[in-house]
Structure formats: structure tokens, C-alpha cells
Amino acid sequence: MLTNTTAASVGGQHRVLVVDDDCAIRLHARIILENSGIDVVEVGSGEQAIDILKRQRVDAVLLDVRMPGMDGFETCRQMRSMYRGDFLPIIVATGLDDREAIEAAYEAGATDFIAKPIDWTQLKYRIRYSINTRVMAEELAASHAHRQGLMQTIPDAVFSLDGKGRVTGGRLPASGWGDAAALFRVGYLLSETLPAGAGGLADQAVSAVNRGTGQASFEFDVQSSAGPRCYEVNLAAGGRGDMIALVRDFTDRRRAEAEIRSLAYFDRLTGMPNREMLQQFAADKLNAFAGTSSQLALMRLDLQGLEYTRCLLGNERANRLLCLFSERLNAVAGGPRDAPSPSPSLVGRVSDGGFAVVRGDLGGREAVRAFAKRLREEMAGSYTLGDYEIEVTTPLGIAVWDGGADMDALTLFDQAEMAMAQSCSTATFYSNEIRDQRRKRARLVKQLQSAVNNGDLHLEYQPKVDAGDRSLFGVEALVRWVHPERGAVSPAEFIPLAEESGLILSIGEFVLDEACRQSRQWNAAGRVTVPIAVNFSGHQFSKKGLVQGVMATLAKHVTAEGQIEIELTETVAMEHCAGIALILQDLQEIGIRTAIDDFGTGYSSLNNLRQFQFHTLKIDRSFVADLGHNPSARSIIRGIIDMSHALGMQVVAEGVEEDHQLEYLRSQRCDLIQGYLTGRPARGEVIQGLLKAA
Ligand code: C2E
Ligand code: MG
Ligand code: MG
């Protein structure tokens, strides 16, 4: 870093200023020095010398003491006090035995002296030596300044230690060190002042540095007046058998790391371990259990009733429900309090309403079954949220690994989830049948995809007739898939698959397009067309641009207002309730009628439906089927019809198969009937025959 200052010499040459009133000496000096590659500037007085120094950089000065005007001593003094003068080698030429002059010269700041008459050979070496010494001194000073600067800027405390690890000095950072200063006391070994445990680590680090590793570090925690603190000590060899210790307070970093870990592995709302943590835990257990007779059970359960709560009572109460559920789950499945460490079980939240329990301490399948049964019973049931009682159900799937085949945590989770999807009223174990069903479903999805791509789907239309005179009021479009090998596949089977796989979006587009096309075609065939109801799935409501898409299809087929009705089930309405009310409003504004389908199967009450303002309500066919043998069905149907009318909705009864059902519905002023009694789903050509001529 100092080459810069020496490089001031011309072309890399050193430059010497010769100051002497005797021009013969100056000339001699010039010849000698220039011959040995040193540049020379010569002046005859102290004043001139100072002037030169102000303007030029020189690397050394040969200065006569006895000169007229300003003598050598004063010149020397002034040179020293000039900018960068402190390291300038000034060699003073004195008389041979002039001890006084020599002393005075040193006092004035001379670096060296040379006796007159000058030994010219010696001079050039003396000058070179002085210049080298000056370079080293400057480097040393700069290095010292650099170190000082570093010390000021680093946030660490710095201590010097002797070879045994005894503190010999140090510097604490300006702030934030508190009472931790007592941990590093001058005159004490680190092992004497650090907390127990850390002392041993300090000894080990000191020994390591002494053995020649050059550097060693350790960390320790301590309880200070400012709470728990964490320190990191880096020891490095100091070069003379001593050491330097840099001590950093990394409490904040540790806290941030803990926070990051908590974000990565814990659920914020409930504080429970999240899916990542559970998977990691299961993976660790699978590893640990490999080759032993231990078994690992994974139970997946869903909190059903959460969406309903969110829709009905808002987010805050839904979150409260999640917290209550997680507390109960911890109490029931969190494992015994005195469980050995590391814990054999872990309970956590894996998705919005999804929870999981991993247990490595249940012996045998029967024990797992009994535990799962109890878990399900205890978790289902009612939860109190202020004035509300929420009924919760909990499908539960179990996957067990008993050391047999290779297993990884992801597969175990998949298996438990597949089993949960099959679970209705009991806890369900994952089995080969479930696996095979899955595979079958996957195959079917693939075939459905080709059917969608190849245009192999078609629509049938089921009449909705007036309950009084049975005149045709409208139709419901029902999608049909004729499978090349299996024949007709029920929408009840393939619609859920389409929903799972996302195919429902293309199917939905096809159905609406085809219904609009059919309506126009009936018109073109000279018939008075009737409104067509089209079923929409929840996924269609989740997709952006639904209303624009519907508008485009209506425009494409020039479909008149009121000709299309969109049906959505009660469950869909409730699950998407946040955004759905607005979408329905937009749809109504572009002339679409709206209907709530399968009413009575979900959780909602008529009161909840008020926010949606449907045109039509369809009573689920299970109530109609119950008419005749379940006395309460009558009153339920009556209640629904009355309430719907009060809310301004038209009522359709679905699944009417028998006359007595129709009679009862008519007596209760049900508006429309849809069922095998009054018309099965049929192809568009068949329906065309039922339509009035225009
Ligand atoms: P849904 O919307 O409630 O349709 C009425 C279902 O009841 C139809 O079954 C219909 O054939 C059947 N049904 C009508 N009358 C009777 C009767 O008297 N007795 C009995 N037992 N059943 C009757 P389908 O066509 O099998 O459709 C089943 C469900 O599949 C539909 O229920 C609807 O939720 C869904 N679905 C059908 N087509 C579509 C569609 O295009 N898109 C969507 N998203 N879902 C559809
Ligand atoms: Mg329907
Ligand atoms: Mg229905």
C-alpha cells in the first residue's frame, strides 16, 4: 500500500535532496549518487531546501549543518514539521569531531549523520539504507492505522490473550455489551470467567491455537441482565505466542434464525408443526425404524365444517375454531407428557383444515385402530364459538408402515390422504384396494381427457314441468359420457374426477356452449325454446373471467336473456361464499338466472341464502324420496317451500318418481317438478318434440 508514496520518485528512481552551500560537495554528491541510480536535486541553502520540499517529493535529504542564513538544524526542524515530514530520512553532514553538532542535529530531528569529509562510498549505502528504513516505517505506520480502523469498525469485542488464554487487554464495542464485560477480565483465564461449559470450550480452543491450527472458535450462551445472550468467540494466533480473541454477540442472529425456523416449520395460527416439519419427522422415524420391528402410523384428519364457519361467521371465528380444534387434538393425540426424548409422536396442521398425527409408539394395528377410533370420536362433535355451536365431522385416514417395503414420508402422507378421502363414518386404513381404486381413477381421468379433447361428450335435457298442469317450463342440461368400453358413465362418477383433475373447466365450457347452441337450434327448427339450466362446479367460480366467458358464449349463439339458468349446489355456494355473491350478481345483470341445487344436503339454512338472491331453489331429491316413509320429510319440504316463497324464489322438487310425491308437492304449492315421473333426461331431438311450435 505504500508503493504509492515511494513511487513518487521519478520513473521509480529515488530522489535525494542535497543541501549544502559548498557547490563542490553538491557536485560530488550528484556524481556519486546519480551513478548509483539515484536522482538528485541540489540547493545551496536551507530556505531553498524547504521551498523544494513544498513542491516536490523527495525520498531523503543530505543536509549540511553549517550554512549561511538558515542553518542545518533549523532546516531539519522545519522539514520535520512539514506534511509527511515525520518519516523523511534526513542525514546531516557534520564536522568529524563536532559532538555538539551531532547532538543538536538529532535533537532537531535528524535521522542519521555523516562526518565531513564525506566518505562518498559510504554515503550512497547510508542513503539507500535510510530510504529503505523509511519505506518500512511508513508501511508499518499504515498497517497500524489500518488495524486501528478495523478495530473501530468491527462490531465485535477484541481481546488480547497470552498463550495460556489469560486476557491481557481488550476493547469492547461502544454499546450493547452490558454486563457481559465481566466475562473477559484482564488478568484472568477465559476458563475462569466464562460460564461453566464454555470454560472447557475456551480451553480446547486455546490448545488448538497453540497446537498450530492458527484459528479456533466456540460459542456459548449466558444469562445476562439483558436476558439470555449468545456469544461467538474466534481465537487467532497473535504471532508472538499470544492470541487475539474476537467476541461477537449473535443473539439477534440466533433470534432471527429461530424466527425463520418457526416460519418454515410451524403453523402461524395454531403454533403447531406444519407439513414440512411433520414430513421431516416421519422421514427421520422411517430412517430410525428401518430394520427394526417398530411401526410408524400416520393419521390424516380433516376438520369438516371450517368453510361453513368461515362463510357464516367470518374469518376470525373460523380461525378460533381451528385453534380450538388444534388444542383438542394436542390434548388427545399429543402423546404422553412423560414421553421419552426424542418424542415418538408429533401432531400438526398440514393444510387449511387438514391435520396429521404421526405416532411411532403404538404397538400393532389393533392399537392404531383403537387410537384412531378414539381420536375421531373425540375430535368430531360440537365446538363453541361465542353464541354459536359448530358441528364438526372428521374424516380420518391411516397409513401404517411396519418395516416391510421401502417407504418414504411423502408416500406415507399420500397413502393416509387417499385413505382419508375414502373415510366416511369410520377411520379408514390405507389398503391395496384403495391403491387400485386410485389407479383406476387415474386411468379414467386420462380417458375422460381424451373424451373431452375428441368431443365425445354430449348433453341430455331433463324436463322441468309445472307442478299443476305439467306443462313444460324448462329443462336441465346433464352431461353424458359414453365410454368406449364401459358404455355410459354416470356424471356422479366422472364429475368429481373432472373436478379433481381440472378437466371440469373444459367440460363446463363445452356444456354451456352446447346448451346455447341447442337453444338456438330449437328456435331455428321453429320451436319456442324454454330456459335451459346448466350445472356449474365450484372450480368454475374460482376461475377468473367467468362472467366474461359466459357473456362471450351467449353472444356467440345470440342467446336471449333468461334462456340460461346456472345451477350451483348449496355446498359450492357456501365454500366460495366470499366471492360468489358478487359473481352471481354480475351473472344476473347479463340476463342469467341462478338456482341453488340439491338444497338441504349442505349445512346452510335458508337464512344464509339470503345474501345470494337466487331465482330458483331445487329441493334435493333425498327429501322427495323420503316422502311417504319419513314423516319429517313432509314438514321439511313444507318449510322449505314456504321459506323460499317468502324469499321470492321459485321452487323445483327434484327426483319426483311417484304420483303421491307429486300430489303432496302440488298441495304445498311447489312450483316445478323434475323427475322420472314427468320426464327422463333425453337427447335434444326428443325434447324438440315436446316444444311448442313457434
Ligand atoms: P343434479 O344437478 O342434481 O342433476 C339431477 C340428477 O338427478 C341427474 O343425475 C338426473 O338424471 C337425476 N334424476 C332426475 N330425476 C330423477 C329421478 O326421478 N330419480 C332419480 N333417482 N334421479 C333423477 P345425473 O345426470 O346422473 O347427474 C348427477 C349429477 O352430476 C348432477 O346432479 C350434477 O350435480 C352433476 N352434473 C351433471 N351434469 C353436469 C354438468 O354439466 N356440469 C356439472 N358441473 N355437473 C353436472
Ligand atoms: Mg342440477
Ligand atoms: Mg340436483
Side-chain angles (χ1 to χ4, degrees):
M1 82 208 74
L2 282 179
T3 39
N4 226 3
T5 57
T6 50
S9 321
V10 186
Q13 271 186 332
H14 293 305
R15 181 189 293 149
V16 170
L17 173 62
V18 178
V19 191
D20 203 308
D21 56 333
D22 183 339
C23 65
I25 292 184
R26 294 204 307 266
L27 183 63
H28 207 148
R30 174 185 289 280
I31 292 166
I32 295 293
L33 293 175
E34 281 184 349
N35 273 346
S36 59
I38 294 172
D39 203 31
V40 172
V41 181
E42 45 164 301
V43 291
S45 71
E47 288 83 354
Q48 285 174 312
I50 296 295
D51 192 45
I52 291 282
L53 272 193
K54 278 183 189 157
R55 288 183 287 110
Q56 286 188 29
R57 162 76 197 225
V58 300
D59 299 302
V61 180
L62 174 63
L63 178 63
D64 183 21
V65 285
R66 311 273 172 219
M67 288 183 294
M70 187 156 70
D71 65 11
F73 306 119
E74 182 51 25
T75 309
C76 183
R77 244 188 306 278
Q78 286 199 20
M79 283 178 171
R80 273 280 170 262
S81 64
M82 288 173 77
Y83 173 63
R84 308 196 70 143
D86 34 358
F87 290 109
L88 181 66
I90 305 173
I91 300 155
V92 174
T94 62
L96 186 56
D97 290 326
D98 196 349
R99 293 193 65 81
E100 231 171 85
I102 294 169
E103 299 245 328
Y106 277 123
E107 248 164 57
T111 314
D112 197 3
F113 80 96
I114 189 158
K116 279 187 170 177
I118 293 172
D119 175 342
W120 295 105
T121 318
Q122 200 187 59
L123 175 70
K124 75 181 176 202
Y125 292 116
R126 294 283 273 278
I127 285 197
R128 279 206 185 284
Y129 176 76
S130 299
I131 291 174
N132 286 346
T133 312
R134 173 237 170 129
V135 169
M136 274 158 56
E138 274 193 342
E139 276 181 4
L140 209 64
S143 153
H144 182 71
H146 184 71
R147 211 176 95 186
Q148 287 297 102
L150 263 181
M151 294 295 189
Q152 297 305 323
T153 49
I154 55 173
D156 306 358
V158 186
F159 297 99
S160 49
L161 311 175
D162 66 13
K164 293 200 167 70
R166 189 182 308 277
V167 179
T168 54
R171 185 192 65 81
L172 291 175
S175 63
W177 206 253
D179 55 1
L183 298 169
F184 302 89
R185 295 212 336 246
V186 175
Y188 288 86
L189 290 172
L190 286 185
S191 54
E192 290 171 333
T193 50
L194 295 185
L201 294 175
D203 281 343
Q204 284 172 19
V206 167
S207 308
V209 174
N210 281 332
R211 274 200 311 275
T213 53
Q215 194 270 340
S217 58
F218 62 97
E219 294 176 2
F220 67 92
D221 296 353
V222 71
Q223 196 61 35
S224 82
S225 57
R229 313 293 305 175
C230 323
Y231 295 98
E232 180 183 54
V233 181
N234 273 295
L235 274 188
R240 274 172 290 180
D242 58 342
M243 291 176 209
I244 293 175
L246 290 184
V247 185
R248 175 166 298 185
D249 178 339
F250 71 106
T251 314
D252 291 343
R253 192 183 79 208
R254 167 89 57 91
R255 224 173 260 148
E257 282 168 1
E259 176 79 357
I260 288 168
R261 193 181 133 73
S262 144
L263 283 177
Y265 290 111
F266 290 88
D267 169 42
R268 285 231 121 173
L269 178 69
T270 60
M272 284 185 134
N274 65 10
R275 181 182 279 272
E276 278 66 36
M277 175 118 168
L278 282 155
Q279 268 173 3
Q280 188 57 54
F281 179 83
D284 291 348
K285 287 282 168 256
L286 289 171
N287 259 338
F289 290 177
T292 71
S293 59
S294 304
Q295 69 166 22
L296 191 68
L298 173 65
M299 279 150 269
R300 268 285 284 113
L301 63 163
D302 264 356
L303 189 179
Q304 274 186 357
L306 179 65
E307 279 309 323
Y308 164 71
T309 308
R310 193 168 278 143
C311 180
L312 224 64
L313 307 178
N315 244 337
E316 213 169 295
R317 286 222 177 80
N319 286 347
R320 179 83 198 111
L321 174 64
L322 280 164
C323 290
L324 288 176
F325 191 85
S326 73
E327 280 163 25
R328 204 188 278 189
L329 187 61
N330 265 328
V332 180
R337 284 193 185 282
D338 54 353
S341 179
S343 170
S345 68
L346 196 67
V347 179
R349 180 177 176 213
V350 295
S351 59
D352 190 21
F355 293 80
V357 179
V358 186
R359 295 288 297 239
D361 55 348
L362 298 170
R365 212 177 164 85
E366 277 320 303
V368 175
R369 190 190 302 281
F371 175 80
K373 183 168 178 287
R374 187 169 68 85
L375 187 59
R376 201 168 186 284
E377 284 165 3
E378 302 231 13
M379 295 312 298
S382 78
Y383 289 76
T384 309
L385 298 173
D387 297 340
Y388 297 88
E389 285 283 307
I390 300 291
E391 277 305 311
V392 160
T393 53
T394 50
L396 195 156
I398 311 161
V400 176
W401 180 76
D402 50 14
D406 270 356
M407 177 59 75
D408 58 73
L410 268 182
T411 312
L412 201 66
F413 266 83
D414 275 353
Q415 291 185 350
E417 249 146 55
M418 279 185 233
M420 183 178 71
Q422 301 292 312
S423 155
C424 292
S425 53
T426 54
T428 306
F429 276 90
Y430 174 77
S431 63
N432 287 345
E433 289 73 58
I434 290 180
R435 182 199 58 202
D436 295 344
Q437 264 176 30
R438 268 282 145 148
R439 287 185 184 158
K440 219 174 110 193
R441 283 162 78 89
R443 237 187 347 261
L444 212 57
V445 166
K446 229 170 143 193
Q447 292 165 336
L448 180 59
Q449 168 91 66
S450 330
V452 171
N453 293 345
N454 302 336
D456 290 344
L457 302 181
H458 71 271
L459 295 190
E460 285 189 349
Y461 302 87
Q462 182 174 30
K464 287 193 283 185
V465 303
D466 188 290
D469 62 10
R470 294 200 185 194
S471 60
L472 183 66
F473 178 86
V475 291
E476 177 176 6
L478 296 160
V479 68
R480 295 291 177 252
W481 176 25
V482 184
H483 188 278
E485 293 140 29
R486 290 177 50 188
V489 184
S490 162
E493 182 179 349
F494 73 82
I495 291 290
L497 285 187
E499 287 179 332
E500 264 173 43
S501 59
L503 281 172
I504 192 68
L505 295 178
S506 330
I507 294 180
E509 275 172 30
F510 159 75
V511 172
L512 181 65
D513 188 81
E514 178 58 14
C516 292
R517 189 202 62 77
Q518 180 64 79
S519 175
R520 186 135 186 243
Q521 195 255 304
W522 283 333
N523 256 327
R527 303 289 163 161
V528 179
T529 188
V530 290
I532 304 180
V534 175
N535 294 283
F536 264 45
S537 133
H539 292 70
Q540 289 170 271
F541 284 94
S542 306
K543 199 184 163 220
K544 279 212 170 93
L546 167 81
V547 180
Q548 287 83 341
V550 171
M551 259 168 91
T553 311
L554 296 188
K556 176 179 160 193
H557 298 285
V558 206
T559 310
E561 257 191 38
Q563 285 302 297
I564 295 293
E565 183 167 71
I566 286 180
E567 291 187 8
L568 64 153
T569 63
E570 183 192 356
T571 318
V572 167
M574 284 301 148
E575 276 175 5
H576 296 73
C577 67
I580 228 164
L582 287 176
I583 298 179
L584 290 178
Q585 216 171 331
D586 287 351
L587 287 172
Q588 288 172 4
E589 270 166 26
I590 60 167
I592 299 279
R593 292 171 55 87
T594 56
I596 179 113
D597 201 357
D598 301 349
F599 187 79
T601 51
Y603 289 95
S604 61
S605 68
L606 273 170
N607 208 23
N608 301 332
L609 292 181
R610 287 164 82 155
Q611 53 178 316
F612 297 119
Q613 297 179 335
F614 289 104
H615 294 101
T616 310
L617 179 142
K618 300 183 80 176
I619 303 175
D620 189 68
R621 67 168 180 267
S622 57
F623 296 104
V624 177
D626 278 352
L627 278 174
H629 46 266
N630 184 348
S632 63
R634 282 179 162 244
S635 40
I636 291 172
I637 287 182
R638 193 185 320 127
I640 295 177
I641 293 173
D642 286 350
M643 283 283 284
S644 302
H645 283 163
L647 292 169
M649 289 187 283
Q650 188 179 43
V651 184
V652 182
E654 295 185 280
V656 180
E657 295 180 353
E658 293 166 32
D659 284 322
H660 75 91
Q661 294 166 337
L662 174 60
E663 278 317 309
Y664 181 74
L665 289 160
R666 197 189 342 230
S667 74
Q668 295 306 316
R669 299 188 330 283
C670 179
D671 304 289
L672 300 172
I673 300 296
Q674 181 181 347
Y676 295 165
L677 181 70
T678 52
R680 288 189 174 251
R683 291 271 192 170
E685 314 75 275
V686 180
I687 300 296
Q688 190 173 311
L690 305 177
L691 297 173
K692 286 191 202 132

